[in-house]
Amino acid sequence: MNALVTVDALQVAFATDSGPIIGVQDVSFTINPGETVCVVGESGSGKSVTALSLMRLVEFGGGTITGGALSFRRPDGQVLDVAAADSQVMAAIRGNEIGMIFQEPMTALNPVFTIERQLTDGLILHKGLSQTEARTRALDLLRSVRIPEPERRLRQYPHELSGGMRQRVVIAMAMACEPRLLIADEPTTALDVTIQAEILALINRLKREQGMAVLFITHDMAVVAQMADRVVVMYRGRIVETGTVTEIFETPQQDYTRALLAAVPKLGEMKGKPAPEKMRILGDDAAYAAAKPVTARKPEVLLDVRHLTTRFPVKGGILRRTVAQVHAVEDVSFTLNVGETLALVGESGCGKSSCGRSILRLIEPQSGEVWINGRDIGALGPHDLRRARADMQMVFQDPFASLNPYRRLRDQVAEPIQNFGLAQGQALRDRVAEIFDRVQLPRAFMTRFPHELSGGQRQRVAIARALAVNPKLIVADEAVSALDVSVQAQVLNLMMELQADLGLSYLFISHDMAVVERVAHHVGVMYLGRIVEIGPRAAVFDNPQHPYTQQLLSAVPIADPRRRRFADDLSFKPITSPIFPLGHQSAPSVYTEVAPGHLVLQS
Amino acid sequence: MTYVLNRLLSVILTLFLITLITFAITNILPGDVAMMIMGTQSNPEALAGLRQSLGLNDPLLVQYGRWVGGMLTGDWGDSLIFKKPIAELLSQKIVASAIIVVMSMTIALALAIPLGVWAAVHRDKWQDTASSSTALLGVSLPDFFWGIVMILVFARWLGWFPSSGFVDPSENFVRALRHAFLPSLALGLGLMAHLTRMTRSTMIGILGQEFIRVARAKGLSERTVIWRYALANAIGPVITIAGLQIGYLFGSIIVMETLFNYTGMGWLTYQALLNRDMPLIQASVFVIAAVVMLTNLVVDLLYVAIDPRIRLD
C-alpha cells in the first residue's frame, strides 16, 4: 500500500465539565498521493475535527486522540503514526509536509504583520532559507497564486487586501514548503461565488502541477461534485459512506447520503418547470406528493418600488464631514405580486440587503417611492409607518442574533402582536400556539429559550415572529444561508407552504443561485446597487442577457460530478467600488425589454 | 495623518476647557488671593490696595486672559506658601513624579502582561485562578495599605530601600531610583489588576482567532505563536488601558507621595490644597491635566504604530 495518509479507527474525545464527549469515532479512510478526498457533512459531523487531528491541531481546541492510528508517509518513505508522534516531529511536519488552509480568509492572516513576514516565516523555519531567499520564494508563490503586483503585496498588511486575495495569500502560505498534502477546511465557504470558482480552480491547478494530495472539507455537495476524486460522507462523528465521487452522487448506498443529496438544489434542475417547487425531502414522500403546486395566481401587484435610491455617507477629514457617498441602492424599480416570490441575487456589497431594508424604511432611502397595497410607504409619518410595518415583516440571516437570548420564545412571538394591539389574554395565547403549529414547532417549545433550539428551529421561530401580525410581505434576507442543507430544505419548504396557504409575498434576498432558482417566481440580479437584469425566473436562468448575470451563473458549482466547470484558472472581473464623490450624477437605470417582462440594463 | 491631526486638535480643545474649569472653580471658592496673603484679620484698606495691585478688581475675562497669557509665556506667578516662582517649583517636582509614574507603570506592565498571558494560555485551569486572585488582591486593598506594607517589609524589616524622602536624580541617579522604588511598587500593585484582566481577556480573544490556528498549522513553535503572533495583537488594548490609568495614577500619587514624604507633584498639590495656595492649585491642576492628556495622545500614537489598520483612517 502506498497511501499517503491512512486513518484507521480514529477516535477523538473532548473534555467538558460533564466528562469527556466523543467528537469522532471509528473514522477510517485513506488518501493516495495526488488525489482529492472530500470529507462532507453537516455541522457537527466531525469533519473538521478529523482534519485537525491529522495535523494534531485538535489538541489546541481541547480534543484528544483517544484511539486509532493516523499514518502519514514522510518524504523518506518512512511511515509515521501522527497520533503518537512527539510534538517536535509534529512541528517539523506542520506547514512543511502538510499544509492547511481555513475557512475565514478575513481572519486567517495576522492583522499586525505584513504579508511578507507571514509568507516567509514558515520558509525560514522549515527550509532554513535566508530572509532574501525567502522573499524571492514568497514572490514566486504570490505569482503562482496569480496575485497582481506581488512586490507591492509583500509590503502590505492583510486589511489592504480583498477577501479573495487574502485567501490566495493563505493558499500561498500553505503551499510555501511544497507540502505533500494540503488540508483545505471549508476554504471557499465565506467567499462570493465568483471568487469561490477562482479559488477552486486554483487549488485544482496547484494540485495538478505539484502532484499534491488534497483533503477537502466542506458542507457543500456542489463543491464536492466539482472537486473530489473520492468522497467520505460523515454524520454525527462517524463515517456514513465512502466511495468515488460518481458512486456517491449516482449510486449512493446509505439513506443519509441520499437524503443529503436530495436536499441540495442543483442549478438547472428547474428548467422547463413553470413555478417554484418544494424540495424533495427523503422519507417525506407522501407530503411531497400531496403538496399543492406553488402556482401563481391572478397577478395583483402588492409591492411597487420606483427609482429607489439609498446612499450612505463616507465621513472624512478633521471635521468628519461627508466627503463621498456609497451608492448602495441606485435607481432600483420592480414590482412584486401577491402570493409570489421575487428574489434579489448578487454578491456581497451589491446592495441587495440595503434594498430590502430601504423598502421597510429600516434605513431611510434618499429618493424613490415604495408602494405597498396602494399606499406610499415613503410618505408615511412615524405613527402611520409603525402601523404599516404590520404588513411588512423581515426574517434575518442569523436567527441566533435576531432572537433575544433572555426571553422565552412564546414572549418573543407574542411581542409583535402586543405591539400592534391585535390580541390579548387568552386570544393572544391561542394565537401564539397557533403560529407555533403553523411553523411546525412543538408547542412545548413555547416556554424555551433560543439557546435550547437548533439553528433550523430558531429560524422557524424567527419566521413565526414575522408571521405573528399577519403580514402581506416578508423580506427574507439570506434567511436560509446559515442553515445546514437538510434544514435549509425544510425551512424553504415551510416558506413555500406558508406562501401557498396564506398568499404571502416574499422578497427573497440571497446569494445562492441554486436556491433562488428553486423558490423564485421572478429574479432580479443586482450589481453595484443596480438591478442589471430582472424577469421571470425561467427567462433569467435559461437566457441570461447581461454579462454580469452570465458571469454569476457560470461560477455556480453544480452538484453533479459529470458537469465540472473549474479545470483551469478563472479570473472574473472584480467588482468596482460603489463609492462616488459628492454631487456625482448617476445615470438613470434604463432597460431593454428582451422578452415580455425580461428587462436588461443598458450600459 | 488626519487621525494624528484630529487627536492633536482634540487635545488642544480639552486643554482650553481645562483652563476654563480650573479658573472658574478657584474663583468660585470663597476668599481670594489678597485675603490669603494678608490674612482674614487684615486692614480692609490695605486689602483693597493689594486687590487693586494684583488686578483682582478687573473683569473675570481680563483676569483669565492674563492668567492664560502668563501660562503661555512661562510666567506662572508665585506660590503663596513657598514664596517661589511656580514655574520653577513645578519643573522640579514634575521630574520627581515622572520617575514614580514611569516606574510604577513599568512595574505594573512587567507583572501584568506575563500574568495575563499565563492566565489566558491556561484558561479555566488553576493558573488562571491563581493569576486572577493575585491581580484582585492588588486592587482590592487600597494603595496606601500597600504603601504601609512596603515600608514595613522592605524598609523596616529588610532594610533594602529607604522608607521616605526624595533625592534629585541629577545628584545621584541610583539613590533617586531607590527612593522612588517603594512608592512605585505600591502603586504598581494597584495598577496591575486591570492590566492583567485586560491582557487575559484580549489574549483569550486573540488565541481563539483563526490566524493563531494558521500560525500553528505553519509549524511555528508555541512560544512564537503566543509571544509574537498573539501578543502583538493583544498589546494595543492593554496599552490603551495603561494610558487611561495614568489619570487615576495622579490621584493616587497625592496619597503615596505624602505617605513616603516624597516631594513630587502629588506632595506639592497636597500642600497647595491644604494651604489654599490658589495660584499653585490652578497651575498644578493644569499641569496634571496636561500630562494626562499628552500621555493619552502618546498612547494613541503608539497604537497607530502597533496596529496598521488604524493608519488608513
Side-chain angles (χ1 to χ4, degrees), chain A residues 52 55 57 60 91 94-95 100 102-104 107-113 117-118 121 125-126 157 159 173 317-318 320, chain B residues 2 5-6 9 209-214 216-222 228-230 232-233 306-309 311-313:
Chain A
L52 291 171
M55 282 270 236
L57 285 174
F60 297 100
R94 283 186 202 129
M100 186 152 185
F102 295 91
Q103 176 171 353
E104 269 296 334
T107 54
L109 294 169
N110 192 333
V112 303
F113 292 165
R117 177 160 180 189
Q118 300 187 56
D121 56 7
L125 176 76
H126 293 301
Y157 288 91
H159 69 274
M173 240 158 65
I318 290 170
R320 315 300 305 163
Chain B
T2 329
L5 274 176
N6 258 325
L9 262 182
Q209 299 253 348
E210 193 115 299
F211 66 82
I212 293 299
R213 247 196 332 180
V214 171
R216 284 177 179 143
K218 280 204 278 191
L220 300 179
S221 72
E222 235 356 64
R228 289 198 195 281
Y229 267 66
N233 280 277
I306 294 171
D307 195 331
R309 283 168 295 187
R311 278 176 225 163
L312 271 183
D313 194 26

Side-chain angles (χ1 to χ4, degrees), chain B residues 121-201:
Chain B
V121 170
H122 301 282
R123 184 187 179 183
D124 295 337
K125 303 221 176 76
W126 67 265
Q127 292 95 330
D128 191 8
T129 319
S131 148
S132 304
S133 317
T134 315
L136 209 61
L137 192 68
V139 78
S140 49
L141 295 163
D143 332 288
F144 65 82
F145 169 80
W146 286 116
I148 294 166
V149 171
M150 296 299 147
I151 291 175
L152 275 178
V153 176
F154 291 106
R156 193 69 156 306
W157 296 342
L158 296 172
W160 292 351
F161 293 95
S163 67
S164 77
F166 161 72
V167 172
D168 193 318
S170 60
E171 286 166 20
N172 187 331
F173 191 65
V174 176
R175 276 193 63 209
L177 292 188
R178 283 171 58 87
H179 273 88
F181 184 74
L182 289 187
S184 301
L185 187 59
L187 287 168
L189 288 177
L191 296 171
M192 193 184 78
H194 288 301
L195 295 172
T196 310
R197 300 297 296 177
M198 195 66 197
T199 312
R200 176 185 176 273
S201 61

